[in-house]
């Protein structure tokens, strides 16, 4: 497995913050790596270093001579009047049939492919950029938060693309579901150090927790042993008959050292508003039509949402999810019908545009004082601010110096200080890191009011939603299944489209091969394997499987008794590597067995 890129002794700082501190990592051929870490840890900075857009203060990045990087551009590289097809041909230099074939993988066809690209939503334009990436045939993809603002269908299309992409990728994302589906390795950046884990994100998070628990148990045992040795020394060092034993125990005591356990980074602790639960309908939509003066988005919407429900609004980008939310909270006037709230509903709104329209000259504390209901004590305001990581001097920061994630947390804190028994949340997880989103989920699960929300984070939706409202084909209606059922339905549609395109693209490939004089007309079926060679290979694989299984068990035994954290991580990495080799050998053995049958 060839090395594409190495980071050695990397150091980088911003002000007093050390983003990279003697950081090291290696990226190899064909390996997809999920890059994780807290907001502000330095992940995007490291990507810019890898792209030669920033320099390290110390250390080096060693690139393979055959490295070909593909980077998902955040800016729009399109010309004003061109179509997606025009852009793909211009950007890649590939023929139109090849561009159309790759575009089909992202469901770009008809007006989406041949109409003006300026008319496409941000999600569809991202699909065009991804198709352009693939046409350049890179052997390392760098993706920075690729799922931000993408609808679920586009996320799943991107997953399928990455699963079938046989080159390497480094993907920065807070979306655990996406990383779990696409990446087999995990790279963590914490306190300036890079740690490569040879496993998926969920296994990495479990390993982190287990490692900490293991270190705490080792320290408890060491402290107990130290206490016993010290008691023996204190009791016996003054006696001539036992003084030598006391000195020996003293040397043992000097050798006993506890493991250094780093203090956990602060995590948001969100508390939902305490409200009196209500019963009956919270919201009724009667023949509601939504949209804008020059464009109708959806019509004949008949829905009822009960108090206490957590209703997830789902659908592709451009179908009208945000338009529906804006209409029910009064930001948009209905084009027809009505949206009627029940008696006694206090509605709190978290919208995508809110944190970008805050007064830049207000401090954190001033904003929260303005949002809090009358009678809220300063102590309560500071407690809520602290729960969302605005502590000490941070409450005196002005809004204009806050990051996107900090502004999102500030708006959330303002909601929590209100009296709201209805929360309408449009993409509440955007700009929040994994830990803060998890805290938000826990708070909303305890909340006794009603939640109407939309999100592209599947982990968030799956944990929170009690019922699903789908916006599609010019209307909105209750979806009969749960969120997993909805995802299955979307996946099935995509897979059916891929199968249909597989037949079409196969026919096109034959035609193009024929046109270029490469079609031989011979049967392309591979010849059957010689039976003697097949049996020989099966026996060889059986020996490999037995040897790898024994090696795995031996390494696991060593791991169970390891006390040094660095040695334990090395052993754990070796176990994972052996398990991957074992899985490949077993799959090959099963494949060859099917020939034997």
């Amino acid at each position: 497995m060839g090395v594409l890129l190495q980071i050695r002794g990397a150091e980088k700082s911003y002000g007093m913050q050390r983003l990279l501190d003697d950081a090291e990592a290696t990226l190899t051929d064909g390996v997809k790596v999920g890059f994780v870490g807290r907001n502000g840890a330095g992940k995007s900075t490291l990507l810019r270093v890898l792209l030669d857009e920033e320099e390290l203060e110390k250390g080096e990045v060693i690139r393979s001579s055959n490295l070909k990087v593909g980077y998902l551009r955040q800016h729009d590289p399109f010309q004003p009047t061109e179509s997606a097809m025009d852009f793909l041909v211009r950007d890649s230099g590939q023929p139109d049939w090849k561009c159309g074939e790759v575009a089909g993988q992202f469901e770009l066809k008809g007006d989406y492919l041949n109409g003006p690209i300026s008319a496409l939503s941000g999600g569809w334009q991202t699909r065009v950029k991804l198709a352009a990436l693939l046409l350049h045939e890179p052997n390392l993809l760098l993706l920075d938060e690729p799922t931000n603002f993408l609808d679920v269908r586009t996320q799943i299309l991107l997953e399928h693309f990455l699963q079938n992409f046989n080159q390497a990728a480094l993907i920065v994302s807070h979306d655990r579901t996406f990383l779990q589906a696409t990446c087999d390795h995990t790279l963590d950046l914490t306190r300036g150090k890079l740690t490569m884990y040879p496993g998926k994100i969920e296994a990495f998070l479990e390993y982190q927790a287990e490692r900490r628990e293991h270190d705490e148990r080792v320290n408890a045992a060491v402290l107990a042993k130290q206490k016993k040795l010290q008691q023996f020394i204190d009791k016996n060092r003054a006696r001539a008959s036992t003084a030598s034993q006391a000195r020996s125990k003293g040397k043992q005591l000097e050798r006993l050292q506890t493991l250094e356990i780093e203090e956990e980074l602060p995590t948001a602790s969100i508390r939902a508003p305490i409200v009196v639960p209500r019963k009956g309908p919270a919201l009724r939509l009667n023949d509601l039509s939504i949209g804008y003066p020059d464009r109708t988005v959806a019509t004949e919407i008949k829905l009822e949402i009960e108090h206490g429900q957590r209703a997830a609004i789902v659908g592709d980008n451009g179908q009208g999810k945000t338009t529906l939310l804006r209409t029910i909270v009064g930001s948009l006037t209905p084009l027809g019908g009505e949206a009627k709230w029940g008696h006694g509903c206090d509605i709190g709104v978290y919208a995508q545009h809110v944190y970008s329209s805050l007064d830049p000259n207000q401090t954190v504390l001033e904003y929260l004082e303005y949002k809090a209901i009358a009678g809220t004590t300063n102590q309560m305001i500071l407690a809520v601010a602290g729960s969302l990581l605005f502590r000490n001097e941070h409450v005196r920061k002005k809004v204009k110096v806050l990051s996107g994630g900090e502004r999102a947390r500030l708006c959330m804190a303002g909601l929590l200080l209100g009296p709201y028994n209805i929360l309408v949340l449009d993409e509440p997880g955007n700009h929040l890191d994994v830990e803060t989103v998890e805290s938000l989920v826990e708070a909303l699960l305890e909340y006794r009011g009603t939640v109407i929300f939309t999100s592209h984070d599947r982990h968030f939706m799956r944990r929170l939603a009690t019922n699903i409202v789908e916006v599609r084909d010019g209307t909105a209606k209750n979806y009969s299944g749960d969120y997993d059922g909805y995802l299955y339905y979307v996946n099935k549609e995509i897979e059916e489209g891929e199968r249909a395109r597989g037949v079409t693209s196969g026919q096109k490939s034959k035609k193009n091969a024929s046109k270029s004089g490469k079609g031989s007309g011979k049967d392309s079926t591979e010849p059957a394997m010689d039976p003697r060679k097949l049996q020989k290979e099966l026996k060889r694989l059986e020996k490999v499987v037995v040897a790898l299984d024994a090696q795995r068990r031996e390494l696991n035994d060593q791991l169970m008794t390891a006390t040094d954290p660095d040695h334990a991580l090395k052993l754990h990495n070796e176990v994972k590597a052996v398990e991957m080799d074992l899985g490949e050998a077993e799959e090959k053995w099963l494949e060859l067995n099917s020939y034997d049958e």
Side-chain angles (χ1 to χ4, degrees):
M1 192 175 290
V3 173
L4 292 175
L5 186 148
Q6 277 187 305
I7 303 159
R8 288 184 179 173
E11 294 189 7
K12 181 81 172 175
S13 300
Y14 275 131
M16 298 298 291
Q17 186 182 4
R18 196 77 163 162
L19 295 178
L20 300 172
D21 184 9
D22 196 26
E24 302 202 345
T26 300
L27 301 179
T28 54
D29 277 329
V31 176
K32 299 182 186 72
V33 179
F35 191 12
V36 299
R38 291 290 186 90
N39 279 349
K43 302 184 297 297
S44 294
T45 298
L46 182 58
L47 284 193
R48 289 194 293 273
V49 168
L50 299 183
L51 290 165
D52 267 340
E53 294 176 1
E54 287 197 33
E55 293 183 356
L56 293 171
E57 294 160 10
K58 188 178 177 183
E60 59 181 341
V61 177
I62 303 170
R63 296 170 176 84
S64 167
S65 59
N66 69 340
L67 177 65
K68 194 173 180 183
V69 174
Y71 178 60
L72 182 61
R73 291 166 284 196
Q74 299 302 319
H75 68 281
D76 292 339
F78 314 120
Q79 293 179 357
T81 59
E82 69 183 344
S83 67
M85 176 63 86
D86 294 335
F87 166 72
L88 293 175
V89 172
R90 174 176 65 81
D91 185 73
S92 68
Q94 299 275 17
D96 56 2
W97 67 264
K98 179 66 175 177
C99 292
E101 189 176 277
V102 173
Q105 295 183 34
F106 299 96
E107 296 186 343
L108 288 161
K109 52 192 175 182
D111 289 342
Y112 290 96
L113 183 61
N114 299 307
I117 203 167
S118 57
L120 300 181
S121 68
W124 281 95
Q125 290 187 4
T126 299
R127 296 190 191 195
V128 177
K129 294 177 190 177
L130 289 166
L133 268 188
L134 190 56
L135 285 162
H136 281 283
E137 300 178 344
N139 57 8
L140 174 63
L141 288 180
L142 299 181
L143 308 180
D144 191 0
E145 296 291 354
T147 62
N148 269 6
F149 304 106
L150 294 186
D151 57 52
V152 169
R153 185 180 300 273
T154 307
Q155 287 183 35
I156 294 173
L157 281 167
L158 179 53
E159 280 178 13
H160 286 213
F161 159 59
L162 288 168
Q163 288 162 357
N164 295 317
F165 181 67
N166 58 6
Q167 303 294 338
L170 181 65
I171 304 170
V172 176
S173 181
H174 291 135
D175 188 330
R176 285 164 57 171
T177 301
F178 181 76
L179 290 180
Q180 184 72 13
T182 56
C183 297
D184 294 320
H185 285 57
T186 304
L187 182 63
D188 176 65
L189 178 56
T190 300
R191 294 186 173 91
K193 300 294 185 184
L194 288 168
T195 303
M196 183 70 80
Y197 175 83
K200 290 182 175 290
I201 178 67
E202 295 295 346
F204 169 69
L205 295 173
E206 288 177 16
Y207 167 75
Q208 270 191 323
E210 289 170 3
R211 184 72 253 170
R212 188 176 185 87
E213 289 175 9
H214 171 270
D215 290 351
E216 288 171 349
R217 287 196 303 270
V218 169
N219 280 355
V222 168
L223 290 171
K225 182 70 173 175
Q226 286 175 334
K227 184 177 180 181
K228 286 184 179 180
L229 288 171
Q230 190 63 56
Q231 287 173 343
F232 182 91
I233 293 165
D234 292 342
K235 185 177 180 181
N236 294 283
R237 63 185 167 190
R239 299 179 185 176
S241 59
T242 57
S244 62
Q245 287 179 286
R247 285 193 295 274
S248 175
K249 298 293 185 185
K251 290 177 182 177
Q252 288 183 40
L253 183 60
E254 288 174 8
R255 288 194 296 270
L256 279 178
Q257 299 292 328
T258 55
L259 301 173
E260 183 179 350
I261 301 176
E262 291 181 332
E263 183 181 350
E264 289 195 68
L265 294 168
T267 300
S269 178
I270 299 174
R271 292 172 292 180
I274 298 173
V275 298
V276 177
R278 301 176 66 85
K279 293 183 180 180
L283 174 67
R284 280 198 179 105
L285 307 182
N286 299 317
D287 290 320
L288 183 69
S289 294
I290 61 174
Y292 306 88
D294 60 339
R295 179 169 61 95
T296 299
V297 173
T299 60
E300 298 180 1
I301 302 173
K302 297 177 182 179
L303 283 174
E304 190 170 283
I305 294 173
E306 297 285 322
H307 278 293
Q309 287 186 328
R310 297 188 295 272
I313 313 298
V314 303
D316 293 352
N317 281 352
Q319 291 290 319
K321 300 187 300 295
T322 297
T323 304
L324 176 60
L325 292 186
R326 291 184 65 192
T327 303
I328 65 176
V329 300
S331 295
L332 285 175
T333 303
L335 300 182
E338 65 173 352
K340 188 174 182 180
W341 291 98
H343 175 70
C345 289
D346 280 318
I347 304 162
V349 179
Y350 179 98
Q352 292 181 36
H353 65 277
V354 167
Y355 42 82
S356 61
S357 60
L358 301 173
D359 182 345
N361 293 312
Q362 275 191 321
T363 66
V364 167
L365 185 57
E366 287 169 346
Y367 173 80
L368 294 179
E369 287 172 341
Y370 170 74
K371 294 294 289 184
I373 59 175
T376 306
T377 65
N378 189 256
Q379 183 179 358
M380 187 179 295
I381 291 172
L382 290 174
V384 170
S387 72
L388 280 154
L389 308 183
F390 294 107
R391 297 168 183 159
N392 304 321
E393 70 280 0
H394 291 286
V395 298
R396 289 185 285 277
K397 275 186 174 182
K398 287 190 179 293
V399 167
K400 62 185 175 185
V401 303
L402 300 181
S403 68
E406 287 173 324
R407 292 186 188 206
R409 291 205 310 271
L410 179 60
C411 290
M412 195 63 65
L415 270 187
L416 303 182
L417 287 165
Y420 312 116
N421 56 14
I422 307 282
L423 294 179
V424 178
L425 312 176
D426 189 9
E427 295 292 346
N430 279 354
H431 302 293
L432 301 180
D433 57 31
V434 172
E435 292 78 13
T436 305
V437 169
E438 197 63 27
S439 180
L440 177 60
V441 169
E442 295 296 336
L444 293 175
L445 287 172
E446 292 180 9
Y447 179 56
R448 306 295 297 278
T450 305
V451 185
I452 302 171
F453 69 103
T454 183
S455 174
H456 292 144
D457 185 328
R458 283 166 285 170
H459 175 76
F460 184 87
M461 296 283 269
R462 183 180 286 112
R463 288 205 61 197
L464 195 61
T466 59
N467 57 301
I468 308 295
V469 175
E470 185 182 23
V471 184
R472 181 174 181 173
D473 299 331
T475 191
K477 58 185 178 181
N478 279 312
Y479 183 77
S480 57
D482 59 11
Y483 189 64
D484 281 326
Y486 174 71
L487 290 180
Y488 174 80
Y489 154 73
V490 173
N491 245 312
K492 187 177 178 183
E493 279 194 339
I494 290 171
E495 287 169 358
E496 287 173 353
E498 286 173 344
R499 281 196 293 273
R501 283 195 303 276
V503 172
T504 305
S505 63
Q507 291 170 346
K508 284 183 179 178
S509 297
K510 288 178 183 176
K511 287 178 182 177
N512 284 306
S514 176
K515 286 178 183 177
S516 60
K518 294 178 182 176
S520 64
K522 293 179 181 178
D523 186 2
S524 61
T525 306
E526 292 183 8
M529 184 179 284
D530 182 278
R532 284 173 297 180
K533 289 182 179 179
L534 177 61
Q535 288 303 318
K536 186 177 179 180
E537 181 64 10
L538 281 169
K539 286 180 181 178
R540 186 190 73 79
L541 284 170
E542 285 171 3
K543 290 178 182 178
V544 170
V545 168
V546 170
L548 287 172
D549 190 51
Q551 186 181 356
R552 179 186 62 174
R553 281 188 270 111
E554 182 182 345
L555 287 169
N556 269 318
D557 289 342
Q558 294 177 35
L559 182 60
M560 293 297 291
T561 58
T563 57
D564 178 67
D566 293 332
H567 181 54
L569 179 59
K570 182 174 180 293
L571 286 170
H572 192 276
N573 291 347
E574 289 177 7
V575 168
K576 290 297 178 184
V578 169
E579 285 178 347
M580 288 174 67
D581 291 341
L582 179 60
E584 289 175 5
E586 288 174 339
E587 283 182 16
K588 184 65 176 173
W589 184 85
L590 288 169
E591 182 184 338
L592 291 180
N593 254 311
S594 67
Y595 286 119
D596 196 30
E597 293 168 0

